[in-house]
Amino acid sequence: MNDWHSDFVTAIKEELKDEKVEIKQEEYLSKEPLRIDVIIIKKEKDVKINKRVGQIFKRYNIIEYKSPDDYVSIDDYFKGLGYVYLYKSIMNAYDRSRKEVDDIKIDELTLTFVCSNLPKKLISFLTEHKIKLDNSDSGVYYIDNEWIPVQIIVLSELENVEENYPLMVLSNNMHFRNAIEKVISSINEAKEYDNKIRLIEAAFRIDPGIVSEVIKMYADRLSEEQMKYVINNLKEANFKIYTEEELKKSMEKSMEKGIEKGMEKGIEKGIEKGMENLVIRLLKKKFDDVPEKYLRLIEDADEKTLLQIADNIFEINKIEDLEKYIVN
């Protein structure tokens, strides 16, 4: 059986047998499979990314992320470059079912490193080796002189809360509190809950004190359902925001606020419905039978009117007396 690779190893060993070298055959580069953290692929290659962190993006964009207690080392930098070149040489193009030679062009690739703090040793290394850095945009360092566009996003230095708040909650950013406020105040739809809760959980690992303060501050801006969802998910993640008493008060406050908002917008008011049922029950107990006409009037009455009827129930001697409270 022909094995040209083994034949070559034999030949090179013989060639260099008198040199002080060690020759290994088929050395594995990694104990685990090589794995890219994130790859962002444009569905339409010419579409421009508006967010600042993605303005260098081309068709295929490889991202290497470092957690808050980690950093981008010199070796990480070269590993990232290696991932880009491996991706280009191994993977098939987005719109191809099989790999073809050079189907991913080198000028369709970018590399992004994301870290909490500036990797000073790496920056010094690049500077020493004449690799230029452009920091014209706060928190984003662009690297020139590489074959592909490379950028380093330093989360702690980002300043645009409106645009970058999802990233800013992952580090000790100076605008951390504002970023958390943006996350919580932007919970509008059920489909957003899971992502927003995940961000809040991550932020808790950065600064639980600030996150707790912000959640309590925004308790009256969230619906009862939203507030329960936030608290329950954080409990599951072993993050405790409230004592049981504080939680009860927060829920009550949230429910009251929801009722007020509902009244302002004409939404069905739970508290009114309860008052309506109470008034009907009192009248039926007093008069046995309440004509349909008066039931409809009570259903249409506002909370103030219902409260007046309940307060004056002993003054109402016949069912017709209701009209002086309802019909004005």
Side-chain angles (χ1 to χ4, degrees):
M1 180 177 180
N2 294 327
D3 182 356
W4 287 105
H5 287 86
S6 295
D7 294 342
F8 169 76
V9 172
T10 300
I12 200 69
K13 282 182 177 179
E14 185 66 20
E15 179 79 14
L16 301 175
K17 65 182 180 181
D18 296 326
E19 306 295 336
K20 293 181 178 180
V21 295
E22 179 182 3
I23 299 173
K24 298 181 180 180
Q25 184 175 1
E26 295 184 346
E27 177 81 351
Y28 288 98
L29 295 177
S30 175
K31 292 181 180 179
E32 297 180 359
L34 295 176
R35 183 174 55 195
I36 294 171
D37 287 341
V38 180
I39 174 76
I40 298 174
I41 304 173
K42 290 184 182 180
K43 293 181 178 179
E44 299 177 15
K45 62 181 180 181
D46 295 327
V47 172
K48 181 181 178 182
I49 302 296
N50 294 318
K51 292 292 181 67
R52 183 70 62 183
V53 297
Q55 288 197 346
I56 73 163
F57 285 0
K58 295 193 175 182
R59 189 74 189 275
Y60 307 94
N61 308 280
I62 291 172
I63 299 180
E64 283 294 294
Y65 169 73
K66 293 295 181 181
S67 60
D69 56 354
D70 202 352
Y71 65 98
V72 182
S73 69
I74 295 170
D75 285 343
D76 289 329
Y77 181 79
F78 287 102
K79 184 172 69 173
L81 290 172
Y83 284 164
V84 172
Y85 299 132
L86 281 172
Y87 190 90
K88 184 257 182 290
S89 61
I90 294 173
M91 304 299 291
N92 56 290
Y94 174 72
D95 53 357
R96 304 281 178 86
S97 59
R98 55 188 290 272
K99 173 66 180 172
E100 297 180 9
V101 174
D102 202 33
D103 55 352
I104 295 179
K105 308 299 181 186
I106 192 64
D107 59 5
E108 293 182 313
L109 289 147
T110 73
L111 174 61
T112 297
F113 295 96
V114 180
C115 52
S116 289
N117 300 300
L118 185 66
K120 295 180 180 179
K121 288 185 178 180
L122 173 60
I123 298 299
S124 296
F125 174 84
L126 295 174
T127 302
E128 288 171 9
H129 289 78
K130 313 302 180 187
I131 303 294
K132 297 180 180 178
L133 284 89
D134 175 10
N135 186 27
S136 57
D137 190 12
S138 298
V140 183
Y141 293 76
Y142 302 102
I143 298 174
D144 295 330
N145 296 10
E146 291 290 3
W147 203 346
I148 57 169
V150 181
Q151 66 178 355
I152 301 174
I153 298 174
V154 181
L155 300 182
S156 62
E157 296 182 9
L158 294 175
E159 294 185 354
N160 189 333
V161 175
E162 191 67 28
E163 181 172 304
N164 302 133
Y165 71 89
L167 293 173
M168 295 165 83
V169 301
L170 302 180
S171 78
N172 54 342
N173 187 285
M174 63 183 295
H175 304 292
F176 180 80
R177 179 185 289 272
N178 293 335
I180 289 298
E181 290 179 3
K182 182 66 178 176
V183 172
I184 295 173
S185 64
S186 64
I187 299 178
N188 295 317
E189 301 178 22
K191 65 182 181 181
E192 296 180 341
Y193 289 177
D194 289 344
N195 285 342
K196 298 295 172 65
I197 294 299
R198 185 66 180 264
L199 290 177
I200 294 171
E201 288 176 2
F204 251 95
R205 292 191 288 272
I206 301 296
D207 194 323
I210 290 179
V211 178
S212 296
E213 290 174 10
V214 174
I215 289 178
K216 291 177 183 180
M217 182 175 70
Y218 276 80
D220 61 343
R221 302 193 189 185
L222 299 176
S223 68
E224 182 182 9
E225 179 188 4
Q226 289 172 331
M227 197 62 188
K228 281 182 178 178
Y229 189 86
V230 171
I231 300 302
N232 289 339
N233 276 271
L234 292 180
K235 275 187 174 181
E236 288 177 8
N238 296 319
F239 296 127
K240 189 174 182 181
I241 304 175
Y242 295 96
T243 63
E244 292 304 317
E245 184 61 28
E246 286 177 326
L247 178 57
K248 182 179 178 182
K249 289 181 180 179
S250 174
M251 291 302 184
E252 289 173 351
K253 187 177 182 182
S254 175
M255 186 168 63
E256 289 171 3
K257 189 66 177 180
I259 290 170
E260 289 175 15
K261 289 181 179 178
M263 290 172 63
E264 292 171 4
K265 298 178 181 179
I267 301 172
E268 183 180 6
K269 301 171 283 295
I271 196 167
E272 263 188 26
K273 192 68 178 176
M275 184 65 72
E276 173 190 318
N277 291 337
L278 174 62
V279 168
I280 291 173
R281 192 162 65 249
L282 290 172
L283 290 172
K284 284 185 176 180
K285 191 170 184 179
K286 186 165 187 175
F287 297 111
D288 293 327
D289 181 49
V290 179
E292 187 67 27
K293 167 187 173 182
Y294 293 103
L295 290 177
R296 286 199 299 271
L297 287 174
I298 291 168
E299 287 175 359
D300 293 337
D302 58 24
E303 183 186 353
K304 182 179 179 181
T305 300
L306 293 171
L307 190 58
Q308 284 182 329
I309 294 172
D311 285 344
N312 293 280
I313 193 68
F314 296 110
E315 312 300 324
I316 300 173
N317 297 315
K318 55 183 185 296
I319 196 68
E320 290 78 11
D321 291 343
L322 281 175
E323 296 182 9
K324 67 180 181 182
Y325 299 101
I326 296 176
V327 182
N328 286 318

